[in-house]
Amino acid sequence: MSTDTPLRPADSASFGGHGDAGSERRPVAPVGGLAARLRRLIGVDEGLLAWVPEDRPRYTRYGALVFNTALVGSVSMALALTSFRSDLPGTAVVLAALIWFWVVLTLDSWLVSSTHGTSVKRWTLMLRFLLSILLGLFIAEPILFQIFDKEIRQEIAVGNEQSVADYRGMLVSCNPTDGASTSDRAECGRYQLKVVGSPAELARQIKTGTARAATLKAQVDELSREHDAKLATEQRLCGPKYWIWTANGRDVTITCKRARTATAAAATELAPYQRQLKEMTAKGQTLAAEQDNAANAYQPKLQRAIDAKTAQRAAALDTDGILTRAHGLKEVAESDGFALFLTVVLHLLLVCFDAMPVLAKLMSGATAYDRMLGRRFETSQRLYADELQVQHACARMEHEAQRYRVEQDTKDRMRRVQRRYQRAEAEYAAEERAELEARMNRILAARRA
């Protein structure tokens, strides 16, 4: 039979079809080494590629592009970490760079491997190209920061100096040397300083202290009059006119004792107010003396406060943050036409470098390997559909055989039941006949007797 004829081994088929010993054989012998590993990065099937070895250099370079992109990405991450986080140890920087290398390598490997075959749509390639552009932009920024590092630092230094100068100018404007209040100026809300000993502050304190002292003096005068009245009442009730003579000598009346208690209570109540009034009077005199010298002493204090706030502001300004450096790069690009041109060119170069695998796929179109892979996909789909049909047919026949088996078993069981039923009916009929014959015999015997 024709199916018994042995097939020719696949690796012995000649490319030219002439069967001569010198013709090229397909598939060619497999190769290893670095080239095969680079192709494995982008998901190339070496067994299928052996049928079209002419595409091996192309896919080897695809793999090299993917590897180089991941390598540049790791270098970019290391540069970014050393620029923005100089306090990180070298081990952490190397570990982060290796992790980012693996992430970029995996992502680019997926982007390229998912384009193999002829069934890939153009719009999916465009989506992958856009994703490659985003990845390239992320990789490009740290490298640009390093290229324009000197210019960026100069721009940041100039910007920080201007910011500090503007801040100091607002402090000087919102804190006059005479200590006058600037609370009525809306722009001075964040720039007002509290410096002890300003003439205006001392004048405000003296005015406030004078008002409080006047109020307190009125309270003291009122309490003093009450105390004097109670003292006069005590002196009147405790005079010789109201003495009481007893066996132990002279004594005073209960009314006198009550008057003395009331006088002592009034004196106790008056004493804190008098002491407080004395302290306020002394403080007012001290503030008045300080006010005379405040004009000469306040200005150096204000200057030191402004210098301290200015130094604090300068220390708080960022010089290495990613947003600060990005703003510095923007200022550098806007201030110089060549810097802008170089920035745009480097962005485009790095973006195209990262998007080159997918871009090369868009430009080159489907290769022989892609067409073979597409046909294998189609063949696999047809074989799988045929396999499903075979499985379905086998399952259907198995179900039919099982159903026939169940039907025959049901018929056999029904026949057995029917036979048992017929046998039981015959036995019952035989028993009835035997019983009738026995009764008949008894009746005949009785009649004969």
Side-chain angles (χ1 to χ4, degrees):
M1 297 177 65
S2 61
T3 55
D4 296 332
T5 304
L7 295 175
R8 189 176 184 182
D11 57 357
S12 65
S14 63
F15 183 74
H18 302 293
D20 55 334
S23 61
E24 185 180 359
R25 302 289 181 173
R26 298 299 173 105
V28 300
V31 295
L34 180 61
R37 292 189 178 90
L38 290 175
R39 292 193 295 269
R40 196 176 299 118
L41 282 178
I42 56 176
V44 173
D45 186 354
E46 289 294 326
L48 184 60
L49 190 62
W51 289 90
V52 280
E54 296 81 6
D55 283 343
R56 280 178 175 173
R58 172 181 297 182
Y59 286 102
T60 301
R61 287 168 176 79
Y62 277 177
L65 283 174
V66 171
F67 182 82
N68 292 337
T69 302
L71 185 62
V72 172
S74 65
V75 173
S76 174
M77 177 58 70
L79 293 176
L81 291 178
T82 53
S83 299
F84 307 141
R85 293 294 303 274
S86 58
D87 56 333
L88 286 177
T91 305
V93 173
V94 172
L95 181 60
L98 290 177
I99 293 175
W100 185 240
F101 171 81
W102 173 252
V103 171
V104 176
L105 182 65
T106 305
L107 183 58
D108 279 343
S109 176
W110 170 79
L111 286 174
V112 176
S113 62
S114 60
T115 61
H116 297 328
T118 57
S119 61
V120 181
K121 305 299 183 182
R122 287 286 178 175
W123 66 271
T124 59
L125 289 177
M126 292 304 299
L127 290 178
R128 290 173 174 84
F129 179 67
L130 291 177
L131 184 58
S132 299
I133 291 177
L134 293 178
L135 185 61
L137 289 174
F138 185 81
I139 293 175
E141 289 304 317
I143 298 178
L144 288 172
F145 289 155
Q146 289 298 319
I147 293 176
F148 293 103
D149 181 71
K150 184 177 180 181
E151 291 78 6
I152 290 174
R153 292 186 180 278
Q154 290 178 353
E155 187 65 34
I156 292 174
V158 171
N160 289 346
E161 289 179 0
Q162 184 63 40
S163 177
V164 171
D166 294 341
Y167 184 76
R168 184 181 182 86
M170 290 301 299
L171 289 178
V172 172
S173 175
C174 296
N175 298 275
T177 56
D178 58 352
S181 176
T182 56
S183 57
D184 56 336
R185 295 169 57 184
E187 68 275 10
C188 293
R190 297 185 298 110
Y191 300 98
Q192 292 178 348
L193 300 177
K194 293 183 178 180
V195 181
V196 180
S198 66
E201 179 65 18
L202 290 176
R204 187 187 63 80
Q205 293 180 5
I206 291 173
K207 183 178 179 181
T208 303
T210 302
R212 292 179 58 188
T215 302
L216 186 61
K217 188 175 184 308
Q219 294 178 351
V220 169
D221 293 341
E222 180 66 23
L223 292 175
S224 297
R225 286 192 295 271
E226 293 180 0
H227 175 264
D228 293 342
K230 292 180 179 179
L231 181 61
T233 302
E234 176 190 350
Q235 292 175 354
R236 181 174 56 81
L237 295 177
C238 295
K241 180 179 179 181
Y242 295 94
W243 288 352
I244 300 174
W245 297 94
T246 62
N248 296 327
R250 187 183 63 187
D251 196 2
V252 295
T253 61
I254 297 299
T255 306
C256 175
K257 293 179 179 181
R258 291 176 179 173
R260 287 179 177 176
T261 302
T263 304
T268 303
E269 184 181 3
L270 177 62
Y273 289 96
Q274 289 178 335
R275 186 169 55 255
Q276 187 176 1
L277 179 60
K278 184 178 179 181
E279 293 174 355
M280 292 182 66
T281 303
K283 184 178 180 180
Q285 294 174 355
T286 303
L287 290 175
E290 291 178 358
Q291 188 180 17
D292 296 336
N293 301 323
N296 297 327
Y298 175 71
Q299 188 171 359
K301 291 181 180 180
L302 178 63
Q303 187 65 34
R304 287 193 296 270
I306 291 176
D307 293 341
K309 293 293 290 185
T310 303
Q312 183 180 358
R313 174 70 174 183
L317 291 176
D318 184 29
T319 57
D320 291 326
I322 183 172
L323 295 179
T324 303
R325 293 178 68 84
H327 180 72
L329 179 61
K330 171 179 171 292
E331 294 296 330
V332 170
E334 291 179 352
S335 61
D336 187 84
F338 181 74
L340 177 61
F341 170 75
L342 191 58
T343 302
V344 174
V345 169
L346 287 175
H347 267 103
L348 293 177
L349 178 62
L350 292 172
V351 166
C352 291
F353 175 75
D354 185 72
M356 185 55 66
V358 179
L359 190 60
K361 189 68 177 181
L362 284 171
M363 292 186 299
S364 62
T367 62
Y369 173 81
D370 290 328
R371 289 189 290 272
M372 293 175 60
L373 185 61
R375 285 195 292 269
R376 191 170 74 173
F377 286 158
E378 296 174 358
T379 303
S380 299
Q381 291 176 358
R382 289 195 299 269
L383 288 175
Y384 181 69
D386 294 340
E387 179 66 21
L388 288 180
Q389 291 179 359
V390 171
Q391 293 180 6
H392 180 262
C394 292
R396 185 175 66 250
M397 289 186 291
E398 181 67 26
H399 290 164
E400 290 178 356
Q402 185 177 2
R403 182 176 60 185
Y404 180 76
R405 189 184 309 113
V406 172
E407 289 177 354
Q408 294 302 320
D409 182 65
T410 302
K411 290 179 181 180
D412 292 341
R413 291 172 62 185
M414 291 177 67
R415 282 195 296 268
R416 287 195 296 271
V417 172
Q418 185 67 24
R419 284 195 297 268
R420 286 197 299 268
Y421 178 72
Q422 291 175 355
R423 189 182 302 113
E425 284 188 343
E427 291 175 355
Y428 180 71
E431 290 176 357
E432 284 186 345
R433 285 194 301 269
E435 185 180 356
L436 289 175
E437 290 176 356
R439 288 182 181 179
M440 182 62 69
N441 291 334
R442 286 196 298 272
I443 292 173
L444 292 176
R447 287 181 178 180
R448 286 196 298 267

